[in-house]
Amino acid sequence: CANLESLINLINPEKGRNYKLYLRDLENAVHPTILFSQHSSTVNAKKIRLWTELCLAMVENSAKFRAPRALLQSRSVDEQFDALFQHVVKNEELHQFYVNRRAELSTKRKQPVANSGSRKAPFFNDRKIAAKKKSLSTTECGCCLEKFVKDEMVSCQEKGHLFCRMCIRKYVAEELYSNQSSKICCISTDGCKSAFNTRQLEHALPQKMNEKLREMQYVADMKKAGQVECNCPKCGSKGFLPKAEKTFSCPKVGCLHKSCRLCHEPGHEPLTCSEVEKQHETGARTNVEEAMSTARIKKCPYCTTQFIPEMGGGCNWVTCNNCWKNFCYVCVSKSCSGRCRRPADLTERA
């Protein structure tokens, strides 16, 4: 190999860690590493040591020497095996060990399958293979009638009806967002209304849909328990309050505003909402009357004494009871020549 990249592509032509010797981590400049993989059932120290030495020898000698012609010209697997240890690995101990290992594995392959009297590996392996086949068995979806792996489907709790995740997502989305309902039950055509397996349903739905479902189910449970949903008129936070109570305290930290859940006014117990409304009407009437009185009050332009002029007619000029000076009460001016007219005169003229 001319460089590291060509060596990596030779040893690991495809991305993935399904190799006994994994070199692609060498491309990582932060933590360049070489991964040696050994079967998890191997506990023999000699096997592990010799396998590591073999991998190291192949990598180090491949970097030092050119590819030998004997290895390139070899035809059969046996010729390639011998050429690899003679020209690349160059370790007689490793060569002899793996020659014996090849012969041992070849003998095991030719042996017949163990009879039923064996209680060790054959029985365990058969049980493991059967469990794997069972877990990968496909089942027809009760909605779209397509076949899916059983472990990836959602079942109802009572009768075990199975549905694929895509059909469940569509159904739950329609119930939550279109029908505004949190009641999720079996969609089998035989009329089954059983709930779904909670864990399977959570795995089938996206995170946002799970959060929406839990929120709506919580609201439904609180309403069944006799609670009333309330909104804070100040910050908009939601909460629940028993029907017998009227004053809602905002649960949000930093707000804690108390309001009446019926009229949304600040808490007014023991007064009723109608009594508070009458107080508001009386207050509004008083404010209007005060505003009208304030509009009629005039001020002397000399001493700022307040007075209410009589609008019954006559001259616009008045005399201040405090400083005894004359001025026009219409325009409240010191130099008015009497040309400004009273509001009543203007109305009659119009």
Side-chain angles (χ1 to χ4, degrees), residues 198-215:
T198 305
R199 186 175 180 181
Q200 294 177 354
L201 186 63
E202 289 180 354
H203 286 302
L205 300 180
Q207 181 179 358
K208 290 185 177 179
M209 197 176 294
N210 271 318
E211 293 175 355
K212 180 68 174 178
L213 177 60
R214 284 194 291 266
E215 180 184 352

Side-chain angles (χ1 to χ4, degrees), residues 228-248:
V228 180
E229 185 177 6
C230 303
N231 295 331
C232 177
K234 188 175 181 181
C235 67
S237 299
K238 295 183 179 181
F240 290 89
L241 190 69
K243 290 184 178 180
E245 299 182 12
K246 295 182 179 180
T247 303
F248 170 68

Side-chain angles (χ1 to χ4, degrees), residues 189-200:
T189 55
D190 64 358
C192 177
K193 297 300 179 182
S194 170
F196 288 108
N197 183 289
T198 305
R199 186 175 180 181
Q200 294 177 354

